[in-house]
Amino acid sequence: MDLEVSENPRAGLQTKGGRLSASFSKENGDGRVDINLTRFKPETDPENLLLAATLVQDAKFGRDISFKTDSRSVRSYRVYNHYLMRWTLYLCIFVNLGLAMFEQPAVWPLPYWSTMIIELSCHLFYIFRFLHLRDFAKESFWKDKKHVIVLVMIVLTLLDVICYTMWINIGPNTNPQPFRWARSLRPLYIINFAEGRQIRRAFRNIRRTLPDIANVLVLFFFSVLLFALLALKLFDKRNLKYPNGDDYFMNYWDSIWDLYVLVTTANDPDVMMPAYDDSNWFAVFFVIYLIVCLYIFMSILLAVIYNNYKKHLKNEVKTAVFSKRLKLQQAFDILKVMKNEKYVLTKSSWHELLKVVAPRRSEVQVDLLLHVLDEDGDNCIAKSQFLTAADLLNVDLTEISDRRTLLEKYLPGIYLSKVSDILRSCVAHKFFRYFFDFMIIVNALCIGLGREEAEWFFLVLFTLEIVLKLYTFGAKRFFSTFWNVFDFLIIFAALIATIVEAILGRFDAESQTLDILLVLRVLRLIKIMGSIDRFKIIITTIVNIGPSIATYGGVIFVFYYMFAIVGMEVFYGMIQYYTYNTTNTTLLLCGQPELLNASEFARERYCSNNFNDILKSFVLLFELTVVNQWHVLTSGFVLVTNKAARIYFFTFHVICVVIIVNIFIAFILEAFILEYSLAHGKFERRIEMKIKEMGYQLGQKPVVKKKSKSDKSELVDNIEVTERAAQQDGSVSGSDTSLDDISKETGLRFHLRKRSKPSVFAKTFHGKYLSGQGHFFAG
């Protein structure tokens, strides 16, 4: 039996008092149920409705900006949050940060005045954005530190531009050379503009965690100082030397540095060997030191960071949830009416609200969401139910009637023919996917065995696979799956590269490019690994924490950028890369033949690791984060400057490795634990339960309920809602490349869009910790 929704005079749509009414009829002859949409006359004042909708949207998107509630301020606030305004701000921040590639020392040099014009243009928008925010903000605007920081940064940047312009024109050849001291502040815009709330929340939690770990750090550094003093007294009278001739524990500050590096294991066992060669008993000193400072203090540090960071993050999320519910409560108070001796949100007010909050949702979708919230069955939403509306609105729901392919719409005779039906059934079958997964493995084996003659065969085969999928599922649904997009880009790039290079006659280059592109498709087999239970939780965790990792990537980027700018200003030009085969003695040893002679830095050929532009600086900082050989990298800059350079590298290591990396490890640990306790999103489950209760899950036969006084589903009874199974054919949700063939579906149906699970941060908003149970994690 098909279900059709009609909106025409013949369907019984009538006008009563300026209000469109709906009729509900059943034709016993052909078993067809007709449902007519109802359009409600506005019951709420437009200004109050706009304010309520704005509050609901703030709760939906997690915005926490306080604004005045008068009509002009509300409209100004909505303009402020328009996507064009937000993306213009993102563009300005991106351009402003990217200027470091064009400013001296530059990757691609531009005249200083051109970069300054671009920077000033970005700051003009910053100023406009700041004043716009001040226009509708409440009187507490200046009490918010992030607004003060933004203003101070704008003023400092303008002063820096003025000072640099005067300096470079009056004394361009002075010593020191003109430099921009405010460039390192640029990443702070990411944190302190209102749109950077996620990364700002992460920084706030890190800041609150620091006092809790200070005690451990103090004890740790006290232990290092104590052991350095012991090492100095043990070895300074023995006249020991390192293999390169350097003094061995003859200076207290050098002893502190060597033992701190030993905690990172970068110089183990090198630092121990001179003493160990002198007497094997000296190994006891280093063993005890590593047990105390590395295995005990570093483990305690991680435990303290994990425990306290989780605690502060829990409080942060509770605050965010409270803010969200407060906004929803304010919206409810604006729209509420008295009914049956209690305040509720009526069905008509819900429709009016969703027309502003989610204008793209159809009336049937809006009604379905109403019935998910309406647990009492009275076609009204109580306050406690309305407080979950923001999370429900974040669930993607699409109508299958809108998912028809272009061929089905415009060439139905061909697309729905018997031959086409057989072809589409084959493409939609799971063995179609299994066959091409197997062929990917065979392709990789052929590349590994050097069977280049098979490359064209596999390229044609994989191109045919994509064409068949596009024909069967349509472009929109095909590109909605990550692995389909991945396959298309790889095969399309391989096809274009092969054709171009074949025309140019570069067959060797063609073969190499084709190998690289086709072998990338082997990554698609990660999806198959995800169907195995023992690997599923690992892959699912990696997929689900991906968006949250971006937040911590932003945190690390801020520190990288600031340290890179400082490093370029301090160490630029002191180490240069030249070819190692040159006969010019002045170019040998990174351009410092006297200072780096016989050094391990030069011997290991680390000359490319320098601060001569922003990209090289980022690479060097990443190498320092990895820790291996970080003391050798540091030694090169110490030799060309002085031992005070160690302060820069020590500070970077403490901040980015000891603190930030350990917090990131705590993040991964809690995410992994949470995956075992939270398997599905709460509101997706509620919709699924509603679908099953109504008997409209995919594969179930629709059931027509008789209308009664307690019937609460005027529009959604007999509407079949489908959801692609989360683990269809054993694959992990979000990683399956198969799609449902909906060409045979008729009538109005719904599809609960399957995306990767919401970020763990969002999932825990109403998760176990809010009820005092279980673990907590947020991204």
Side-chain angles (χ1 to χ4, degrees):
M1 175 170 54
D2 296 337
L3 180 68
E4 297 180 357
V5 175
S6 57
E7 187 179 358
N8 54 67
R10 290 182 297 176
L13 195 63
Q14 301 176 0
T15 302
K16 296 181 180 180
R19 180 173 181 163
L20 295 177
S21 63
S23 63
F24 181 89
S25 62
K26 175 180 178 181
E27 298 180 10
N28 295 326
D30 57 3
R32 178 161 51 183
V33 177
D34 291 331
I35 294 177
N36 302 313
L37 299 178
T38 302
R39 286 183 180 154
F40 300 96
K41 181 180 178 179
E43 296 183 350
T44 308
D45 178 71
E47 292 185 1
N48 288 334
L49 178 64
L50 187 64
L51 175 59
T54 302
L55 291 169
V56 172
Q57 287 175 327
D58 280 2
K60 177 183 177 182
F61 298 112
R63 294 194 289 255
D64 57 356
I65 304 176
S66 299
F67 59 94
K68 300 174 185 176
T69 56
D70 60 277
S71 178
R72 190 191 70 83
S73 296
V74 171
R75 296 184 183 280
S76 178
Y77 176 66
R78 293 180 66 85
V79 172
Y80 180 88
N81 287 314
H82 194 275
Y83 73 94
L84 288 178
M85 301 290 286
R86 287 187 286 106
W87 281 102
T88 302
L89 177 64
Y90 300 152
L91 177 63
C92 288
I93 292 176
F94 176 80
V95 170
N96 194 31
L97 292 172
L99 288 176
M101 292 190 294
F102 306 97
E103 298 168 326
Q104 292 296 336
V107 181
W108 303 287
L110 288 177
Y112 80 93
W113 54 265
S114 61
T115 58
M116 283 192 173
I117 290 175
I118 297 174
E119 184 172 13
L120 290 175
S121 300
C122 293
H123 278 75
L124 285 177
F125 186 80
Y126 293 163
I127 295 172
F128 164 75
R129 191 76 169 164
F130 181 84
L131 295 177
H132 190 179
L133 177 61
R134 180 67 185 90
D135 177 61
F136 58 77
K138 292 183 177 180
E139 295 179 356
S140 59
F141 176 83
W142 292 112
K143 296 180 180 179
D144 195 330
K145 295 180 181 179
K146 65 177 180 288
H147 299 149
V148 178
I149 293 174
V150 169
L151 180 60
V152 170
M153 288 166 52
I154 291 174
V155 172
L156 289 178
T157 301
L158 295 178
L159 289 175
D160 181 36
V161 169
I162 294 173
C163 293
Y164 182 82
T165 303
M166 295 174 60
W167 192 353
I168 200 170
N169 283 281
I170 295 175
N173 298 319
T174 58
N175 190 18
Q177 290 290 315
F179 62 90
R180 295 285 309 279
W181 46 268
R183 291 197 301 165
S184 60
L185 302 178
R186 289 172 180 171
L188 297 182
Y189 286 117
I190 302 176
I191 306 171
N192 292 287
F193 270 115
E195 288 74 11
R197 55 185 174 274
Q198 291 292 348
I199 191 170
R200 184 167 59 252
R201 182 180 291 117
F203 268 97
R204 186 162 53 240
N205 293 326
I206 292 172
R207 175 173 52 82
R208 291 172 178 173
T209 303
L210 290 179
D212 299 315
I213 67 174
N215 293 335
V216 180
L217 287 176
V218 169
L219 290 176
F220 165 73
F221 286 119
F222 176 77
S223 300
V224 173
L225 295 175
L226 179 60
F227 275 97
L229 184 61
L230 292 174
L232 183 65
K233 295 304 179 183
L234 282 173
F235 308 126
D236 67 339
K237 302 297 184 182
R238 296 179 178 274
N239 295 319
L240 301 177
K241 299 288 184 179
Y242 282 106
N244 62 356
D246 291 344
D247 292 335
Y248 185 79
F249 286 97
M250 300 292 288
N251 177 281
Y252 185 53
W253 299 110
D254 289 342
S255 301
I256 295 173
W257 175 257
D258 289 339
L259 289 182
Y260 180 78
V261 173
L262 180 58
V263 175
T264 69
T265 71
N267 62 348
D268 182 60
D270 298 353
V271 72
M272 182 185 74
M273 294 313 298
Y276 186 60
D277 291 338
D278 185 69
S279 174
N280 292 164
W281 287 104
F282 285 134
V284 176
F285 170 83
F286 292 96
V287 170
I288 294 175
Y289 173 77
L290 286 174
I291 291 175
V292 173
C293 292
L294 174 60
Y295 295 109
I296 294 180
F297 273 110
M298 287 295 103
S299 298
I300 292 175
L301 182 66
L302 176 59
V304 170
I305 288 176
Y306 173 76
N307 184 63
N308 288 280
Y309 180 74
K310 183 175 67 173
K311 177 184 68 176
H312 292 298
L313 202 54
K314 169 186 172 181
N315 295 333
E316 186 75 29
V317 171
K318 283 187 175 181
T319 302
V321 172
F322 175 78
S323 176
K324 174 189 289 189
R325 290 178 174 174
L326 181 62
K327 292 180 182 297
L328 291 171
Q329 178 179 325
Q330 293 171 345
F332 181 85
D333 291 339
I334 294 172
L335 301 174
K336 67 183 180 182
V337 296
M338 179 67 73
K339 183 177 181 181
N340 297 330
E341 299 183 350
K342 66 177 182 179
Y343 285 109
V344 297
L345 183 68
T346 63
K347 184 175 182 178
S348 59
S349 296
W350 173 254
H351 276 259
E352 293 173 15
L353 178 66
L354 267 290
K355 285 181 181 178
V356 181
V357 174
R360 294 185 179 182
R361 289 191 184 270
S362 67
E363 292 194 29
V364 184
Q365 290 186 30
V366 172
D367 223 45
L368 175 62
L369 298 178
L370 169 69
H371 290 298
V372 173
L373 291 174
D374 178 21
E375 298 176 354
D376 302 326
D378 56 0
N379 275 336
C380 295
I381 303 175
K383 180 178 179 180
S384 60
Q385 299 162 353
F386 186 76
L387 293 181
T388 64
D391 299 280
L392 183 64
L393 291 172
N394 283 320
V395 178
D396 284 332
L397 192 66
T398 61
E399 294 184 16
I400 288 184
S401 59
D402 296 332
R403 293 157 58 89
R404 308 293 185 185
T405 67
L406 292 176
L407 288 174
E408 185 178 1
K409 289 180 179 179
Y410 298 106
L411 296 174
I414 298 176
Y415 187 81
L416 300 177
S417 65
K418 186 175 181 179
V419 175
S420 177
D421 183 52
I422 295 174
L423 177 63
R424 288 185 285 107
S425 298
C426 292
V427 175
H429 200 278
K430 61 182 180 181
F431 286 110
F432 180 86
R433 187 175 74 256
Y434 293 163
F435 170 76
F436 279 97
D437 288 342
F438 175 74
M439 295 309 296
I440 290 173
I441 298 177
V442 175
N443 176 218
L445 291 174
C446 290
I447 293 175
L449 296 174
R451 301 292 183 179
E452 299 180 358
E453 60 274 9
E455 292 174 355
W456 274 99
F457 167 76
F458 286 108
L459 181 59
V460 173
L461 184 66
F462 294 145
T463 303
L464 179 63
E465 176 199 10
I466 291 176
V467 171
L468 290 174
K469 283 186 175 181
L470 285 170
Y471 173 80
T472 301
F473 305 116
K476 183 177 180 180
R477 296 183 61 216
F478 176 84
F479 289 113
S480 66
T481 304
F482 167 78
W483 290 109
N484 286 340
V485 176
F486 179 82
D487 289 346
F488 178 83
L489 293 177
I490 294 298
I491 297 304
F492 182 76
L495 186 63
I496 296 299
T498 301
I499 293 175
V500 171
E501 291 172 349
I503 293 175
L504 296 176
R506 298 167 56 191
F507 296 105
D508 292 337
E510 168 203 342
S511 176
Q512 183 179 5
T513 303
L514 193 60
D515 285 351
I516 295 173
L517 291 171
L518 292 184
V519 81
L520 285 176
R521 275 181 57 95
V522 179
L523 296 175
R524 185 169 170 248
L525 296 179
I526 296 174
K527 171 184 65 68
I528 299 177
M529 300 295 292
S531 65
I532 303 174
D533 290 337
R534 66 179 63 188
F535 302 130
K536 184 181 300 182
I537 187 65
I538 299 174
I539 295 177
T540 303
T541 299
I542 294 173
V543 172
N544 290 343
I545 67 177
S548 298
I549 287 178
T551 299
Y552 289 88
V555 172
I556 295 175
F557 173 81
V558 169
F559 284 110
Y560 269 36
Y561 194 96
M562 297 175 73
F563 273 97
I565 294 296
V566 173
M568 288 191 297
E569 299 292 358
V570 175
F571 301 112
Y572 168 69
M574 294 184 178
I575 291 179
Q576 299 281 354
Y577 168 73
Y578 303 103
T579 177
Y580 295 108
N581 298 322
T582 181
T583 57
N584 188 342
T585 57
T586 60
L587 302 182
L588 292 174
L589 303 177
C590 311
Q592 300 282 3
E594 296 181 359
L595 297 176
L596 295 179
N597 185 34
S599 67
E600 189 175 0
F601 184 92
R603 185 170 63 253
E604 296 293 340
R605 296 189 172 185
Y606 287 163
C607 298
S608 291
N609 296 315
N610 53 56
F611 287 98
N612 293 344
D613 62 59
I614 189 70
L615 298 182
K616 287 184 177 294
S617 300
F618 269 72
V619 172
L620 177 55
L621 292 176
F622 181 78
E623 292 173 344
L624 295 173
T625 306
V626 175
V627 173
N628 188 36
Q629 295 290 77
W630 78 282
H631 65 298
V632 177
L633 295 170
T634 302
S635 68
F637 292 93
V638 169
L639 290 172
V640 299
T641 54
N642 54 66
K643 292 183 179 180
R646 289 174 177 172
I647 298 175
Y648 171 88
F649 295 93
F650 169 78
T651 305
F652 175 82
H653 186 270
V654 171
I655 293 176
C656 290
V657 180
V658 175
I659 297 178
I660 302 300
V661 170
N662 275 302
I663 288 177
F664 183 74
I665 293 173
F667 161 81
I668 297 295
L669 288 174
E670 189 64 14
F672 200 83
I673 293 172
L674 190 69
E675 280 303 316
Y676 283 94
S677 58
L678 292 177
H680 300 286
K682 174 180 177 181
F683 295 97
E684 286 88 342
R685 291 198 303 268
R686 287 180 58 180
I687 292 182
E688 292 173 21
M689 291 174 61
K690 179 65 65 176
I691 303 303
K692 292 179 180 178
E693 289 174 4
M694 297 169 61
Y696 298 122
Q697 191 178 23
L698 186 62
Q700 288 183 302
K701 184 177 180 180
V703 178
V704 179
K705 295 183 180 180
K706 294 183 179 180
K707 186 175 178 66
S708 62
K709 293 182 180 180
S710 61
D711 188 4
K712 63 175 184 178
S713 48
E714 295 177 355
L715 298 183
V716 295
D717 274 354
N718 311 300
I719 296 179
E720 185 166 356
V721 185
T722 67
E723 178 195 357
R724 179 158 46 88
Q727 297 178 2
Q728 182 181 16
D729 298 331
S731 63
V732 176
S733 175
S735 63
D736 191 2
T737 59
S738 63
L739 297 168
D740 298 322
D741 185 4
I742 61 171
S743 59
K744 297 181 181 179
E745 304 290 348
T746 58
L748 179 62
R749 299 167 188 263
F750 284 132
H751 178 266
L752 188 62
R753 182 179 297 169
K754 273 293 178 183
R755 304 181 300 174
S756 58
K757 296 179 187 175
S759 67
V760 186
F761 177 78
K763 285 166 52 175
T764 52
F765 259 25
H766 301 282
K768 292 188 175 181
Y769 252 115
L770 296 180
S771 59
Q773 302 175 2
H775 291 273
F776 170 81
F777 167 77

